[in-house]
Amino acid sequence: MAPLPPLETLRVFEVACRHSSYSEAARELHVTHSAVSQRIRHLEEELGLTLFERRGNRMVPTSSGLRLQAGVKNAFSELGAALGSIKTHRTDAEITVSLLPVMAARWLVPRLPRFKARFPRINLHIKSGQSLANFKSDGVDIAIRFGTGDWKGLRAIKLLNEEFFPVCSPSLNEGRLPKDPASMLSQPLLIDRNLSWRAWFRSAGLKLDRDIAGTSFTDTNALMEAALTGQGIALGRLSVTRSDILAGKLVRLSEHSLRVAYCHYAVYPIASESNPALVAFRDWLIEEAHRT
């Protein structure tokens, strides 16, 4: 058998083909643009073929690239199926779960002892990140996603609704907490770059005549840590603040919620329902969502 290029190089190639962009491929793979470019260049040198050509800002697969992409996709699909089959027949099964870091840290991980107590022979690999998992190339079995539930070719089962409301530490301002939306404006507001304080205030009947200023965060875990340590008021998500509110670590400052159409879903390939370990984990997720 002729020697094959490294699997990681082929994976980089497939992702670059799918996006027609080295930059988008780098973003999905969490590597640099130059790392993707270098992998593709080495692959082209090894094969003696041009696999991509530049068209404007895009890197479009050539006819040779498209033929190779089709073969690589099929090979990864068959390899994934073979590995999945092996997993289901092992004494100890393993499930890889993909989800957002904040959902991993503040929703899933605190509940894992209950899962391990019931299913001691199913080992979980928690893979947290901001990008959507690719079930064909990332080795992910099941994901918890936030969206509309419409992902083509995948089974999506609703777990949790979501809503947003202001929360803070009970020690904020030495315990003198604001009583209404207007009085919150006199306190430091912690800004989630993915959520809008302006939208919450507007839904609460308060039209702002100025921009919200304060410390901003792209990571919700960091935002919640700032709220827990009394640094200001955060626009909290019900899914990840409920346990801290019940424990008295956070205080909900308003009964008014900003409700959204997006929900949290358990998502996986339909064919994976033949995997008993995955089905067990999926059903446990549904139970935990109902418990929440």
Side-chain angles (χ1 to χ4, degrees):
M1 179 183 294
L4 295 174
L7 283 178
E8 184 58 26
T9 294
L10 293 175
R11 179 169 179 262
V12 170
F13 164 77
E14 191 280 326
V15 175
C17 282
R18 179 155 34 84
H19 288 291
S20 293
S21 167
Y22 289 0
S23 297
E24 291 296 325
R27 187 172 295 112
E28 177 175 325
L29 295 168
H30 301 290
V31 298
T32 63
H33 180 283
S34 62
V36 173
S37 178
Q38 187 177 39
R39 288 273 189 176
I40 299 299
R41 185 174 66 255
H42 288 169
L43 181 59
E44 289 180 326
E45 291 173 353
E46 183 175 346
L47 298 177
L49 297 169
T50 300
L51 301 176
F52 290 88
E53 59 184 8
R54 180 174 293 281
R55 293 182 189 171
N57 294 327
R58 313 298 289 173
M59 295 300 292
V60 180
T62 63
S63 58
S64 297
L66 290 173
R67 287 198 298 273
L68 180 58
Q69 181 193 18
V72 169
K73 284 181 65 177
N74 289 336
F76 274 128
S77 179
E78 291 183 13
L79 182 60
L83 290 172
S85 176
I86 293 172
K87 286 180 182 180
T88 59
H89 288 88
R90 293 190 326 188
T91 303
D92 282 5
E94 182 174 301
I95 298 295
T96 297
V97 189
S98 169
L99 71 170
L100 292 170
V102 68
M103 284 296 289
R106 298 185 181 274
W107 192 85
L108 180 61
V109 171
R111 292 168 167 77
L112 289 184
R114 288 199 287 267
F115 179 80
K116 293 302 294 182
R118 192 188 304 182
F119 302 103
R121 304 198 74 85
I122 299 179
N123 298 317
L124 298 179
H125 172 52
I126 310 301
K127 187 174 183 179
S128 60
Q130 298 293 339
S131 60
L132 289 183
N134 185 306
F135 291 97
K136 292 183 178 180
S137 61
D138 290 349
V140 170
D141 298 297
I142 186 169
I144 299 177
R145 288 184 177 176
F146 187 55
T148 61
D150 182 22
W151 291 285
K152 187 176 180 180
L154 300 174
R155 182 86 73 202
I157 299 176
K158 182 177 172 181
L159 297 176
L160 298 164
N161 292 317
E162 191 61 281
E163 57 187 84
F164 307 96
F165 45 80
V167 295
C168 71
S169 166
S171 65
L172 179 71
N173 196 29
E174 298 181 340
R176 298 188 299 274
L177 304 182
K179 303 296 185 182
D180 54 66
S183 60
M184 293 179 198
L185 293 171
S186 63
Q187 299 295 323
L189 298 181
L190 305 172
I191 302 168
D192 186 334
R193 299 298 293 269
N194 300 307
L195 297 176
S196 170
W197 265 114
R198 184 178 292 275
W200 184 85
F201 279 114
R202 184 170 59 248
S203 69
L206 186 62
K207 185 176 181 181
L208 299 183
D209 57 3
R210 62 179 175 86
D211 291 333
I212 299 294
T215 306
S216 65
F217 300 82
T218 57
D219 177 58
T220 308
N221 273 324
L223 172 84
M224 296 314 303
E225 194 61 30
L228 285 163
T229 54
Q231 298 179 41
I233 302 172
L235 195 55
R237 306 163 188 245
L238 175 63
S239 59
V240 299
T241 59
R242 182 176 183 274
S243 59
D244 285 328
I245 292 171
L246 292 175
K249 297 178 181 178
L250 288 175
V251 176
R252 178 171 177 165
L253 295 177
S254 172
E255 289 302 312
H256 175 73
S257 292
L258 176 63
R259 300 181 184 274
V260 293
Y262 283 13
C263 303
H264 298 278
Y265 291 85
V267 184
Y268 55 90
I270 297 172
S272 297
E273 291 183 335
S274 62
N275 181 344
L278 181 139
V279 170
F281 180 68
R282 176 205 65 189
D283 291 347
W284 176 81
L285 283 177
I286 295 170
E287 286 181 24
E288 288 297 318
H290 289 166
R291 182 195 295 262
T292 301

